[in-house]
Amino acid sequence: MTLLEELLLFKKNIRDLKTGKLLGELPETLLKQLCLAERPVRYVRTPIPRKAILKAERHLNTRDAVYASRKVRSDTADRKAHELAEVRDRLEQTHGNAPHQAIADAANAEGLRTSRGNLWGPAGVRRLLKRLEEVDGDEETLAARAKASLRKRDQV
């Protein structure tokens, strides 16, 4: 396949900057000159226009995306909290009461990482263990609370 044939595949997307015409609208002699040009020829690919989305539909899509993101983050945090609780329970069986720093050190030593891949610190351990107590004590998870708050906001 020649260079000209390859370029013609994009004749509806490449525009001549000088004339403003699409590649398919240029005469064949100019196209041949383009392929044989010794100096650089400036052409750009024109973007394909997107489908217009109504503001209300965009709002609903955003709301759904926010809810889905909250749910995934909530599920991940719950899973991480249970992992830390297992580490805490093992430490308490062997050493008695385990401070948050000791739990963080043990979790890091076992290769457990935060949801962002960082090392555990005492503040993060405290937050997730508190979350675990809230979730275990109250069946309503963060995802359910987030969904309820979105519904309440949409009603206003």
Side-chain angles (χ1 to χ4, degrees), residues 5 10 14 16 19 29 32 40-41 44 52 54 56 77 80-81 87 89-90 110 124 134-135 143 151 156:
E5 291 170 339
F10 302 101
I14 299 177
D16 178 19
T19 63
T29 55
K32 287 180 182 177
V41 182
V44 294
L54 296 175
K80 295 290 184 181
V87 172
D89 294 343
R90 282 195 305 273
E110 291 180 19
E134 289 175 358
V135 170
R151 270 195 239 125
V156 173

PDB file of all heavy atoms in Angstrom, residues 5 10 14 16 19 29 32 40-41 44 52 54 56 77 80-81 87 89-90 110 124 134-135 143 151 156:
ATOM      1  N   GLU A   5      -2.346   5.911  -0.710  1.00  0.00           N
ATOM      2  CA  GLU A   5      -3.471   5.030  -0.390  1.00  0.00           C
ATOM      3  C   GLU A   5      -3.737   5.014   1.111  1.00  0.00           C
ATOM      4  O   GLU A   5      -4.885   5.006   1.554  1.00  0.00           O
ATOM      5  CB  GLU A   5      -3.202   3.614  -0.908  1.00  0.00           C
ATOM      6  CG  GLU A   5      -3.218   3.497  -2.423  1.00  0.00           C
ATOM      7  CD  GLU A   5      -2.702   2.148  -2.904  1.00  0.00           C
ATOM      8  OE1 GLU A   5      -1.979   1.464  -2.144  1.00  0.00           O
ATOM      9  OE2 GLU A   5      -3.030   1.781  -4.044  1.00  0.00           O
ATOM     10  N   PHE A  10      -7.988   8.118   5.527  1.00  0.00           N
ATOM     11  CA  PHE A  10      -8.403   9.135   6.495  1.00  0.00           C
ATOM     12  C   PHE A  10      -8.835  10.427   5.812  1.00  0.00           C
ATOM     13  O   PHE A  10      -8.736  11.501   6.395  1.00  0.00           O
ATOM     14  CB  PHE A  10      -7.243   9.421   7.463  1.00  0.00           C
ATOM     15  CG  PHE A  10      -6.782   8.212   8.202  1.00  0.00           C
ATOM     16  CD1 PHE A  10      -5.642   7.532   7.796  1.00  0.00           C
ATOM     17  CD2 PHE A  10      -7.496   7.736   9.281  1.00  0.00           C
ATOM     18  CE1 PHE A  10      -5.222   6.416   8.472  1.00  0.00           C
ATOM     19  CE2 PHE A  10      -7.078   6.617   9.963  1.00  0.00           C
ATOM     20  CZ  PHE A  10      -5.939   5.946   9.560  1.00  0.00           C
ATOM     21  N   ILE A  14      -8.567  14.239   7.828  1.00  0.00           N
ATOM     22  CA  ILE A  14      -7.360  15.052   7.719  1.00  0.00           C
ATOM     23  C   ILE A  14      -7.692  16.305   6.918  1.00  0.00           C
ATOM     24  O   ILE A  14      -8.256  16.228   5.829  1.00  0.00           O
ATOM     25  CB  ILE A  14      -6.209  14.264   7.061  1.00  0.00           C
ATOM     26  CG1 ILE A  14      -5.863  13.041   7.912  1.00  0.00           C
ATOM     27  CG2 ILE A  14      -4.988  15.165   6.887  1.00  0.00           C
ATOM     28  CD1 ILE A  14      -4.790  12.166   7.310  1.00  0.00           C
ATOM     29  N   ASP A  16      -6.350  20.129   5.340  1.00  0.00           N
ATOM     30  CA  ASP A  16      -5.233  20.962   4.911  1.00  0.00           C
ATOM     31  C   ASP A  16      -5.323  22.289   5.661  1.00  0.00           C
ATOM     32  O   ASP A  16      -6.354  22.958   5.626  1.00  0.00           O
ATOM     33  CB  ASP A  16      -5.325  21.190   3.399  1.00  0.00           C
ATOM     34  CG  ASP A  16      -4.228  22.092   2.869  1.00  0.00           C
ATOM     35  OD1 ASP A  16      -3.214  22.249   3.560  1.00  0.00           O
ATOM     36  OD2 ASP A  16      -4.389  22.618   1.749  1.00  0.00           O
ATOM     37  N   THR A  19      -5.639  25.534   3.049  1.00  0.00           N
ATOM     38  CA  THR A  19      -6.902  25.744   2.338  1.00  0.00           C
ATOM     39  C   THR A  19      -8.123  25.464   3.208  1.00  0.00           C
ATOM     40  O   THR A  19      -9.214  25.931   2.894  1.00  0.00           O
ATOM     41  CB  THR A  19      -6.968  24.829   1.094  1.00  0.00           C
ATOM     42  OG1 THR A  19      -6.949  23.469   1.529  1.00  0.00           O
ATOM     43  CG2 THR A  19      -5.826  25.107   0.143  1.00  0.00           C
ATOM     44  N   THR A  29      -3.491  15.943  -8.149  1.00  0.00           N
ATOM     45  CA  THR A  29      -2.125  16.450  -8.359  1.00  0.00           C
ATOM     46  C   THR A  29      -1.538  16.978  -7.051  1.00  0.00           C
ATOM     47  O   THR A  29      -0.365  16.758  -6.755  1.00  0.00           O
ATOM     48  CB  THR A  29      -2.102  17.564  -9.422  1.00  0.00           C
ATOM     49  OG1 THR A  29      -3.015  18.588  -9.033  1.00  0.00           O
ATOM     50  CG2 THR A  29      -2.483  17.033 -10.778  1.00  0.00           C
ATOM     51  N   LYS A  32      -0.528  14.045  -4.871  1.00  0.00           N
ATOM     52  CA  LYS A  32       0.744  13.453  -5.283  1.00  0.00           C
ATOM     53  C   LYS A  32       1.906  14.316  -4.817  1.00  0.00           C
ATOM     54  O   LYS A  32       2.937  13.802  -4.383  1.00  0.00           O
ATOM     55  CB  LYS A  32       0.768  13.254  -6.792  1.00  0.00           C
ATOM     56  CG  LYS A  32      -0.123  12.113  -7.238  1.00  0.00           C
ATOM     57  CD  LYS A  32      -0.081  11.934  -8.732  1.00  0.00           C
ATOM     58  CE  LYS A  32      -1.035  10.813  -9.149  1.00  0.00           C
ATOM     59  NZ  LYS A  32      -1.078  10.635 -10.594  1.00  0.00           N
ATOM     60  N   PRO A  40       8.333  19.700   5.048  1.00  0.00           N
ATOM     61  CA  PRO A  40       7.189  19.187   5.803  1.00  0.00           C
ATOM     62  C   PRO A  40       5.899  19.920   5.450  1.00  0.00           C
ATOM     63  O   PRO A  40       5.892  21.134   5.296  1.00  0.00           O
ATOM     64  CB  PRO A  40       7.571  19.426   7.261  1.00  0.00           C
ATOM     65  CG  PRO A  40       8.770  20.296   7.248  1.00  0.00           C
ATOM     66  CD  PRO A  40       9.340  20.304   5.886  1.00  0.00           C
ATOM     67  N   VAL A  41       4.839  19.184   5.295  1.00  0.00           N
ATOM     68  CA  VAL A  41       3.529  19.735   4.992  1.00  0.00           C
ATOM     69  C   VAL A  41       2.696  19.627   6.260  1.00  0.00           C
ATOM     70  O   VAL A  41       2.674  18.576   6.894  1.00  0.00           O
ATOM     71  CB  VAL A  41       2.867  18.973   3.830  1.00  0.00           C
ATOM     72  CG1 VAL A  41       1.527  19.581   3.495  1.00  0.00           C
ATOM     73  CG2 VAL A  41       3.773  18.965   2.630  1.00  0.00           C
ATOM     74  N   VAL A  44      -3.519  18.351   9.907  1.00  0.00           N
ATOM     75  CA  VAL A  44      -4.004  17.911  11.213  1.00  0.00           C
ATOM     76  C   VAL A  44      -5.204  17.008  11.020  1.00  0.00           C
ATOM     77  O   VAL A  44      -5.930  17.101  10.015  1.00  0.00           O
ATOM     78  CB  VAL A  44      -4.412  19.103  12.117  1.00  0.00           C
ATOM     79  CG1 VAL A  44      -3.228  19.941  12.488  1.00  0.00           C
ATOM     80  CG2 VAL A  44      -5.488  19.939  11.468  1.00  0.00           C
ATOM     81  N   ALA A  52     -24.268  15.143  21.226  1.00  0.00           N
ATOM     82  CA  ALA A  52     -24.645  16.090  22.273  1.00  0.00           C
ATOM     83  C   ALA A  52     -25.524  15.385  23.306  1.00  0.00           C
ATOM     84  O   ALA A  52     -26.428  14.623  22.953  1.00  0.00           O
ATOM     85  CB  ALA A  52     -25.393  17.267  21.666  1.00  0.00           C
ATOM     86  N   LEU A  54     -28.012  15.913  26.652  1.00  0.00           N
ATOM     87  CA  LEU A  54     -28.784  16.911  27.376  1.00  0.00           C
ATOM     88  C   LEU A  54     -28.255  17.057  28.795  1.00  0.00           C
ATOM     89  O   LEU A  54     -27.720  16.116  29.384  1.00  0.00           O
ATOM     90  CB  LEU A  54     -30.254  16.501  27.420  1.00  0.00           C
ATOM     91  CG  LEU A  54     -30.969  16.430  26.074  1.00  0.00           C
ATOM     92  CD1 LEU A  54     -32.382  15.903  26.269  1.00  0.00           C
ATOM     93  CD2 LEU A  54     -31.007  17.799  25.435  1.00  0.00           C
ATOM     94  N   ALA A  56     -29.820  17.331  31.625  1.00  0.00           N
ATOM     95  CA  ALA A  56     -30.481  16.460  32.590  1.00  0.00           C
ATOM     96  C   ALA A  56     -29.928  15.037  32.511  1.00  0.00           C
ATOM     97  O   ALA A  56     -29.702  14.384  33.541  1.00  0.00           O
ATOM     98  CB  ALA A  56     -31.989  16.448  32.337  1.00  0.00           C
ATOM     99  N   ALA A  77     -13.040  -0.426  51.203  1.00  0.00           N
ATOM    100  CA  ALA A  77     -12.710  -0.047  52.579  1.00  0.00           C
ATOM    101  C   ALA A  77     -13.181  -1.123  53.560  1.00  0.00           C
ATOM    102  O   ALA A  77     -12.474  -1.445  54.519  1.00  0.00           O
ATOM    103  CB  ALA A  77     -13.341   1.298  52.920  1.00  0.00           C
ATOM    104  N   LYS A  80     -10.708  -4.019  53.323  1.00  0.00           N
ATOM    105  CA  LYS A  80      -9.451  -3.671  53.991  1.00  0.00           C
ATOM    106  C   LYS A  80      -9.619  -3.660  55.504  1.00  0.00           C
ATOM    107  O   LYS A  80      -8.724  -4.077  56.244  1.00  0.00           O
ATOM    108  CB  LYS A  80      -8.936  -2.298  53.518  1.00  0.00           C
ATOM    109  CG  LYS A  80      -8.547  -2.245  52.068  1.00  0.00           C
ATOM    110  CD  LYS A  80      -7.291  -3.033  51.828  1.00  0.00           C
ATOM    111  CE  LYS A  80      -6.847  -2.911  50.386  1.00  0.00           C
ATOM    112  NZ  LYS A  80      -5.657  -3.685  50.114  1.00  0.00           N
ATOM    113  N   ALA A  81     -10.763  -3.192  55.982  1.00  0.00           N
ATOM    114  CA  ALA A  81     -11.021  -3.168  57.429  1.00  0.00           C
ATOM    115  C   ALA A  81     -11.042  -4.587  57.989  1.00  0.00           C
ATOM    116  O   ALA A  81     -10.510  -4.842  59.078  1.00  0.00           O
ATOM    117  CB  ALA A  81     -12.336  -2.453  57.713  1.00  0.00           C
ATOM    118  N   VAL A  87      -5.524  -9.062  61.379  1.00  0.00           N
ATOM    119  CA  VAL A  87      -4.179  -8.792  61.907  1.00  0.00           C
ATOM    120  C   VAL A  87      -4.279  -8.409  63.381  1.00  0.00           C
ATOM    121  O   VAL A  87      -3.512  -8.897  64.220  1.00  0.00           O
ATOM    122  CB  VAL A  87      -3.481  -7.678  61.080  1.00  0.00           C
ATOM    123  CG1 VAL A  87      -2.182  -7.253  61.741  1.00  0.00           C
ATOM    124  CG2 VAL A  87      -3.240  -8.139  59.658  1.00  0.00           C
ATOM    125  N   ASP A  89      -6.626  -9.173  65.539  1.00  0.00           N
ATOM    126  CA  ASP A  89      -7.011 -10.332  66.349  1.00  0.00           C
ATOM    127  C   ASP A  89      -5.818 -11.246  66.600  1.00  0.00           C
ATOM    128  O   ASP A  89      -5.648 -11.754  67.716  1.00  0.00           O
ATOM    129  CB  ASP A  89      -8.145 -11.106  65.662  1.00  0.00           C
ATOM    130  CG  ASP A  89      -9.439 -10.292  65.604  1.00  0.00           C
ATOM    131  OD1 ASP A  89      -9.557  -9.297  66.364  1.00  0.00           O
ATOM    132  OD2 ASP A  89     -10.320 -10.645  64.784  1.00  0.00           O
ATOM    133  N   ARG A  90      -4.982 -11.467  65.588  1.00  0.00           N
ATOM    134  CA  ARG A  90      -3.800 -12.308  65.774  1.00  0.00           C
ATOM    135  C   ARG A  90      -2.835 -11.677  66.784  1.00  0.00           C
ATOM    136  O   ARG A  90      -2.278 -12.364  67.639  1.00  0.00           O
ATOM    137  CB  ARG A  90      -3.090 -12.535  64.436  1.00  0.00           C
ATOM    138  CG  ARG A  90      -3.761 -13.578  63.568  1.00  0.00           C
ATOM    139  CD  ARG A  90      -2.846 -14.048  62.445  1.00  0.00           C
ATOM    140  NE  ARG A  90      -2.328 -12.972  61.599  1.00  0.00           N
ATOM    141  CZ  ARG A  90      -2.950 -12.476  60.533  1.00  0.00           C
ATOM    142  NH1 ARG A  90      -4.118 -12.969  60.176  1.00  0.00           N
ATOM    143  NH2 ARG A  90      -2.395 -11.519  59.829  1.00  0.00           N
ATOM    144  N   GLU A 110       3.282  -8.081  56.642  1.00  0.00           N
ATOM    145  CA  GLU A 110       2.589  -9.153  55.921  1.00  0.00           C
ATOM    146  C   GLU A 110       2.352  -8.800  54.452  1.00  0.00           C
ATOM    147  O   GLU A 110       1.840  -9.613  53.687  1.00  0.00           O
ATOM    148  CB  GLU A 110       1.249  -9.461  56.593  1.00  0.00           C
ATOM    149  CG  GLU A 110       1.387 -10.113  57.942  1.00  0.00           C
ATOM    150  CD  GLU A 110       0.040 -10.408  58.578  1.00  0.00           C
ATOM    151  OE1 GLU A 110      -0.983 -10.439  57.839  1.00  0.00           O
ATOM    152  OE2 GLU A 110       0.004 -10.610  59.791  1.00  0.00           O
ATOM    153  N   GLY A 124      -4.557   5.537  59.669  1.00  0.00           N
ATOM    154  CA  GLY A 124      -5.379   4.753  58.736  1.00  0.00           C
ATOM    155  C   GLY A 124      -5.944   3.507  59.389  1.00  0.00           C
ATOM    156  O   GLY A 124      -7.100   3.134  59.153  1.00  0.00           O
ATOM    157  N   GLU A 134     -18.453   0.535  63.255  1.00  0.00           N
ATOM    158  CA  GLU A 134     -19.698   1.179  62.832  1.00  0.00           C
ATOM    159  C   GLU A 134     -20.520   0.245  61.956  1.00  0.00           C
ATOM    160  O   GLU A 134     -21.727   0.124  62.117  1.00  0.00           O
ATOM    161  CB  GLU A 134     -19.405   2.463  62.067  1.00  0.00           C
ATOM    162  CG  GLU A 134     -18.880   3.579  62.911  1.00  0.00           C
ATOM    163  CD  GLU A 134     -18.496   4.794  62.084  1.00  0.00           C
ATOM    164  OE1 GLU A 134     -18.602   4.740  60.836  1.00  0.00           O
ATOM    165  OE2 GLU A 134     -18.073   5.792  62.682  1.00  0.00           O
ATOM    166  N   VAL A 135     -19.859  -0.415  61.007  1.00  0.00           N
ATOM    167  CA  VAL A 135     -20.567  -1.289  60.072  1.00  0.00           C
ATOM    168  C   VAL A 135     -21.097  -2.515  60.801  1.00  0.00           C
ATOM    169  O   VAL A 135     -22.227  -2.941  60.596  1.00  0.00           O
ATOM    170  CB  VAL A 135     -19.649  -1.703  58.897  1.00  0.00           C
ATOM    171  CG1 VAL A 135     -20.287  -2.788  58.053  1.00  0.00           C
ATOM    172  CG2 VAL A 135     -19.351  -0.492  58.039  1.00  0.00           C
ATOM    173  N   ALA A 143     -22.189   2.723  51.687  1.00  0.00           N
ATOM    174  CA  ALA A 143     -22.816   2.782  50.358  1.00  0.00           C
ATOM    175  C   ALA A 143     -24.311   3.075  50.485  1.00  0.00           C
ATOM    176  O   ALA A 143     -24.870   3.865  49.724  1.00  0.00           O
ATOM    177  CB  ALA A 143     -22.597   1.476  49.614  1.00  0.00           C
ATOM    178  N   ARG A 151     -30.447  10.430  47.185  1.00  0.00           N
ATOM    179  CA  ARG A 151     -31.906  10.514  47.010  1.00  0.00           C
ATOM    180  C   ARG A 151     -32.454  11.753  47.687  1.00  0.00           C
ATOM    181  O   ARG A 151     -33.293  12.469  47.128  1.00  0.00           O
ATOM    182  CB  ARG A 151     -32.568   9.264  47.581  1.00  0.00           C
ATOM    183  CG  ARG A 151     -32.708   8.166  46.575  1.00  0.00           C
ATOM    184  CD  ARG A 151     -33.671   7.106  47.053  1.00  0.00           C
ATOM    185  NE  ARG A 151     -32.910   5.867  47.091  1.00  0.00           N
ATOM    186  CZ  ARG A 151     -32.772   5.070  48.121  1.00  0.00           C
ATOM    187  NH1 ARG A 151     -33.357   5.335  49.247  1.00  0.00           N
ATOM    188  NH2 ARG A 151     -32.061   3.989  48.055  1.00  0.00           N
ATOM    189  N   VAL A 156     -34.747  17.544  46.963  1.00  0.00           N
ATOM    190  CA  VAL A 156     -34.766  18.975  47.331  1.00  0.00           C
ATOM    191  C   VAL A 156     -34.812  19.841  46.121  1.00  0.00           C
ATOM    192  O   VAL A 156     -34.662  19.630  45.055  1.00  0.00           O
ATOM    193  CB  VAL A 156     -33.528  19.322  48.179  1.00  0.00           C
ATOM    194  CG1 VAL A 156     -33.447  20.806  48.418  1.00  0.00           C
ATOM    195  CG2 VAL A 156     -33.569  18.564  49.463  1.00  0.00           C
TER     196      VAL A 156
END
